[in-house]
Amino acid sequence: MRRTAESFGADAQRYDQARPGYPEGLVARIVAGSPGRDVLDVGCGTGIAARQFQAAGCTVLGVEPDARMADVAQARGLPVEVATFEAWEPAGRVFDTVVAAQSWHWVDPVAGAVKAARVLRPNGRLAIFGHVFEPPAEVAEPFAAAYRRVAPDSPFTSQPARRPLDVYQAGYASIADTIRETGQFSEPEQWRFDWERSYTRDEWLDLLPTTGALTRLRPEQLAEILGAVGQAIDTLGGRFTMRYTTLATSAVRAGTP
């Protein structure tokens, strides 16, 4: 699993430039609901979410298993320690907030929740969140058809072109169950933010290679998929609107300051 996670670092600069940020309302809610401004970003990647927390006045430390991703984050002003969260050594440090943006599925859910509780101050907040994106059918269907054609043995080929939102919501509900079972947090909350973003053909074709289904394809496989998707976007006039839903599971560590 770690090897798959680290495939995102193959083009870390593209990842940093193409991937979207997170709703400002989400960042503001996390900051407002935390006892202070010391944040630990688990699986920080290139620091996309971390920079938003820095802009909100927080001091952020990143933990990232892929040194290539960490290098980009550090070059943009984020202190990063290279390790998996499970292996990372806090050395007595504690935080007001632990966040995981689009990364918790790479963490052992039980060990991760227990460790988060250990490094949080009393009343500190754990916030796990990520995007669900829903391209229009005119873009999603050609992508799925091309992917099935060039990578028939991939586990991604069995997935529908547009995965129902409730599949992702069930995943965040499962995270809440695991947090609840530790007995170290308040009742987890589920948050949802709906938003849209317009993409040009080139913008979307720049982002697609950073997604999990494509990071490990051969260049000729990737080129065929991007060609099919590019043609589909051309039929829409070279631009389309992406519907995003950002889901979050958040809980406060039990205890008194």
Side-chain angles (χ1 to χ4, degrees):
M1 180 175 291
R2 179 178 174 181
R3 183 179 300 173
T4 304
E6 292 181 352
S7 68
F8 293 99
D11 195 347
Q13 290 286 356
R14 181 199 293 264
Y15 184 102
D16 190 64
Q17 294 165 7
R19 284 291 187 107
Y22 297 88
E24 292 299 331
L26 169 65
V27 175
R29 187 169 183 176
I30 293 170
V31 173
S34 300
R37 299 295 178 96
D38 292 330
V39 176
L40 179 70
D41 187 349
V42 175
C44 67
T46 61
I48 294 172
R51 292 194 294 271
Q52 292 183 255
F53 283 95
Q54 288 176 320
C58 297
T59 299
V60 186
L61 172 67
V63 176
E64 168 57 42
D66 190 325
R68 297 165 299 180
M69 301 284 271
D71 284 346
V72 174
Q74 289 171 327
R76 298 201 60 181
L78 177 68
V80 183
E81 297 179 8
V82 178
T84 63
F85 185 48
E86 295 91 335
W88 173 71
E89 178 50 61
R93 291 168 292 181
V94 291
F95 301 84
D96 300 300
T97 311
V98 173
V99 300
Q102 212 89 351
S103 62
W104 197 251
H105 54 291
W106 305 119
V107 176
D108 179 280
V110 176
V114 170
K115 191 161 192 174
R118 180 158 65 93
V119 300
L120 279 169
R121 295 186 173 99
N123 294 328
R125 180 171 294 275
L126 171 63
I128 298 163
F129 51 92
H131 299 314
V132 181
F133 60 87
E134 186 179 356
E138 295 89 343
V139 176
E141 293 292 349
F143 169 83
Y147 193 89
R148 287 192 293 266
R149 186 168 61 250
V150 305
D153 298 327
S154 169
F156 292 103
T157 59
S158 62
Q159 298 177 359
R162 302 168 82 195
R163 297 183 71 190
L165 180 61
D166 58 11
V167 171
Y168 294 93
Q169 289 174 319
Y172 280 86
S174 178
I175 292 171
D177 288 340
T178 303
I179 292 171
R180 191 179 293 116
E181 288 166 7
T182 68
Q184 300 187 62
F185 290 90
S186 65
E187 178 61 21
E189 302 171 357
Q190 303 280 33
W191 303 342
R192 171 176 172 171
F193 298 81
D194 295 304
W195 51 289
E196 294 182 346
R197 175 172 170 174
S198 177
Y199 283 94
T200 65
R201 178 187 192 274
D202 289 346
E203 287 169 343
W204 187 242
L205 296 188
D206 199 37
L207 186 149
L208 263 185
T210 74
T211 59
L214 302 185
T215 55
R216 304 189 72 187
L217 294 181
R218 298 189 304 273
E220 66 273 15
Q221 292 175 306
L222 178 61
E224 184 169 343
I225 292 172
L226 295 183
V229 175
Q231 289 178 7
I233 298 173
D234 286 341
T235 66
L236 298 176
R239 179 182 291 273
F240 70 98
T241 298
M242 176 72 73
R243 294 173 55 189
Y244 278 97
T245 299
T246 302
L247 299 174
T249 296
S250 181
V252 172
R253 186 195 158 199
T256 56

